[in-house]
Amino acid sequence: MNVFVGRQPILDSNGKILGYELLYRNSEKNSFPNVNPEKATIELLINTFQLIGVDRISGSHLSFINFTAKLLTEDVFNSLDPKTVVIEILEDVEITPSLITKMYRLKEMGFDIALDDFVLNEEYEQNSILFNLITYIKVDFLATTTEEKRKTEKFLAKYPHIILLAEKVETEIEYRLAKEAGYTLFQGYYFAKPEIIKGYEIPQIVTNHFQIIEKINSDDASIKEIAGLIKKNISLSYNLLRFINSPGIGIPQKITSIQQAIVLMGLTQMRKWMHVLALREIRFQTANGRIHALTNYSMGRAKLCELLAIHAGKKNTDEYFLAGLFSLLNVIMGKEWDDILTHIPLSNLVNETLRGNQTEISMYLEVAEAAERFDWERLEVLAAQLGLTYEEILKYSNEAVRWSEDLNEA
C-alpha cells in the first residue's frame, strides 16, 4: 500500500534550506484530509521514520512536526532524535503547568520547541516563563494583522534567543517586510508549495512486534529492556497505551507509561496483548474491508476459545486464545502456514492446531467457527461433546463479540 508525507521547506535569509515542515497526507492530493489530528501525527511519524525513511524526506535537515495537546502527554518522544526533530506546539494547545513541565522535559531531552501560528494574547503574557523554553516562533503572515505582528515582535524583543519564522509568505513584498522586521526564517508559497513524498508500506512494524514477543519469552526477559524496545516503535508505543486503556482490557486504573503497563499486567498478559496488536497492525495496513472483517472474526474467535478454556478449567488458556487469534492469518496474508509460522513465536500446540492437525484446542476452535457461521445444529453437537449447554455457548459467544467490538473502538 502506498503511503505519503507532505513537506514544505523552511529557508534562511540566504535561501538555504534549514528544514522542512512535515505534513500528513493520505493520498497524492496535496491537502490535509479530514482525520483526527492525533491519528494524523502518529501516521506522519510512522510514514516518515519507519516506512519511507527520514533520510529520503528531510535528509540532513530538520523536521518540524506538529503535536496536539493530547500527543504532548503521550510517550512518543523517546523514539525521535532531538537533533533532527523540532516539536511544533499547535496554537490551540492550552498553556498549563503540566504543559510547561512537559516542555522542560523535552528541553532536557535535547529537543527544540516551536510555537505554531503564534498570536500574542493574555494567556502567553501570563506564562512568560514559557518563552525561555522556546527556540522558534512561527507567525502566519497571511492570517495575522500588521498590528498583531508588531505586538508580537515588540514582546519577543525581550527574548533574543528566539528565532522568528514567517510562514505563509506568498509575495515578494511580504518576504521583504518580514526580513525588515527581524524574521530570519521563511516558509510559504512564495518559496515553494508543499510537495508529496510517496513510499510503500511494508510489514516491518509487525515483524518488530514479534521480535519483542520473542524477547518477552526469553529466560533473561527484563521489564526495563522490553519497555525500551517498545518505546523505540512510535506506532506501538502509542497504540499499546491507547489499547490497554480501552474498556475491553478491563484494567481499573489509567496506565500512562509502557513500563507501568508491563509491571501491572505481567509478562504473560503483555505477551498476549502484543499478539493482538500485531494482528491489528496488519489490519491497519490495509483499507481492504475483507481484511478488516477477517481480523474482527479473529478477535472474536480468540476470546471465545479463551472463555471456553477457562470454563473447562484449562491451565493454558493463553494458547487457546492465540489459536483463535491467528486461525485466519493464512487467509488474511494469502500464504501457507509453513511460510507464516516460521516468523511467529507460538507453541507447538498452537502451531499444530493452526496447521489443521487434531489437538486439544481443535474442538474449541471449531465451536468459534460454527458460532460465527450461526450453525446452531453444529453448535449443539459440539456443546454436548464439551459438556456445555447450548445456552452457555451462546452466552460466551455474545461476550466474545462484545469484547472484540470494544477492542475495535480502542
Side-chain angles (χ1 to χ4, degrees), residues 134-409:
I134 300 300
T135 303
Y136 304 95
I137 282 185
K138 302 180 73 174
V139 176
D140 184 336
F141 259 56
L142 199 60
T144 54
T145 66
T146 300
E147 182 182 350
E148 287 172 330
K149 293 187 190 77
R150 296 295 169 265
K151 186 178 177 182
T152 293
E153 292 153 11
K154 182 179 179 181
F155 177 81
L156 293 178
K158 296 180 288 186
Y159 304 95
H161 67 280
I162 292 179
I163 300 168
L164 277 171
L165 191 161
E167 60 179 340
K168 295 186 182 174
V169 175
E170 297 196 345
T171 67
E172 169 71 29
I173 293 174
E174 288 172 345
Y175 174 49
R176 191 178 71 249
L177 288 172
K179 288 183 71 174
E180 289 172 356
Y183 292 78
T184 56
L185 295 177
F186 311 90
Q187 177 185 351
Y189 279 17
Y190 175 67
F191 309 100
K193 293 183 178 181
E195 64 173 321
I196 303 293
I197 308 297
K198 180 178 175 182
Y200 301 93
E201 191 164 10
I202 57 175
Q204 181 60 42
I205 297 174
V206 178
T207 303
N208 290 345
H209 284 45
F210 291 130
Q211 289 172 345
I212 293 168
I213 291 166
E214 286 186 308
K215 185 62 183 175
I216 294 173
N217 287 339
S218 66
D219 294 334
D220 61 343
S222 156
I223 288 176
K224 185 176 181 180
E225 186 177 353
I226 292 165
L229 289 171
I230 293 172
K231 286 177 183 178
K232 290 179 181 178
N233 186 313
I234 301 162
S235 171
L236 181 55
S237 296
Y238 177 74
N239 285 329
L240 180 60
L241 287 176
R242 185 165 177 254
F243 181 68
I244 285 173
N245 285 308
S246 66
I249 306 300
I251 293 179
Q253 70 182 86
K254 179 80 172 174
I255 292 178
T256 57
S257 75
I258 302 299
Q259 193 155 326
Q260 180 194 14
I262 299 173
V263 170
L264 286 176
M265 299 181 74
L267 291 177
T268 300
Q269 282 291 89
M270 180 57 66
R271 178 172 57 246
K272 172 181 172 180
W273 296 120
M274 285 295 299
H275 281 107
V276 174
L277 281 169
L279 186 66
R280 280 164 56 95
E281 201 71 63
I282 292 170
R283 181 182 71 185
F284 291 148
Q285 287 183 18
T286 175
N288 188 317
R290 173 176 169 273
I291 301 300
H292 282 219
L294 289 170
T295 55
N296 289 344
Y297 281 135
S298 299
M299 299 288 186
R301 286 186 181 189
K303 189 61 178 177
L304 181 52
C305 287
E306 180 186 49
L307 290 171
L308 294 173
I310 292 170
H311 178 89
K314 303 289 184 181
K315 293 182 179 179
N316 56 333
T317 57
D318 280 350
E319 290 184 295
Y320 287 74
F321 181 91
L322 293 176
L325 185 69
F326 291 122
S327 59
L328 289 166
L329 197 56
N330 60 331
V331 182
I332 291 169
M333 299 184 72
K335 292 184 177 182
E336 298 296 325
W337 281 117
D338 285 344
D339 296 327
I340 296 171
L341 295 176
T342 55
H343 302 291
I344 305 178
L346 298 172
S347 68
N348 290 334
L349 176 61
V350 176
N351 280 341
E352 290 304 306
T353 305
L354 295 176
R355 291 178 192 276
N357 297 323
Q358 198 65 28
T359 70
E360 66 177 77
I361 300 176
S362 299
M363 190 178 296
Y364 293 81
L365 185 56
E366 195 176 340
V367 170
E369 293 169 358
E372 69 192 32
R373 293 195 306 268
F374 304 105
D375 187 345
W376 309 122
E377 290 183 8
R378 183 59 182 155
L379 276 174
E380 286 194 84
V381 172
L382 292 167
Q385 291 175 344
L386 291 172
L388 290 162
T389 65
Y390 172 77
E391 288 74 19
E392 285 173 326
I393 285 189
L394 190 61
K395 180 189 76 170
Y396 290 136
S397 178
N398 289 334
E399 186 178 337
V401 169
R402 286 193 300 272
W403 179 87
S404 63
E405 287 175 348
D406 283 343
L407 293 191
N408 284 330
E409 294 172 1

Side-chain angles (χ1 to χ4, degrees), residues 4-10 19-25 30 32 40-41 43-49 52-59 61-67 80 84-86 88 90 116 138 187 194-197:
F4 308 89
V5 169
R7 69 175 188 181
Q8 187 174 33
I10 294 169
Y20 295 92
E21 178 171 0
L22 304 189
L23 310 162
Y24 173 70
R25 298 289 185 266
N30 205 346
F32 186 82
T41 296
E43 291 197 12
L44 170 67
L45 293 172
I46 294 167
N47 293 347
T48 300
F49 297 98
I52 298 175
V54 69
D55 289 346
R56 188 176 158 204
I57 293 172
S58 301
H61 306 296
L62 294 172
S63 298
F64 286 68
I65 300 173
N66 287 325
F67 285 84
L80 302 177
T84 61
V85 172
V86 176
E88 287 197 24
L90 293 172
D116 193 29
K138 302 180 73 174
Q187 177 185 351
E195 64 173 321
I196 303 293
I197 308 297

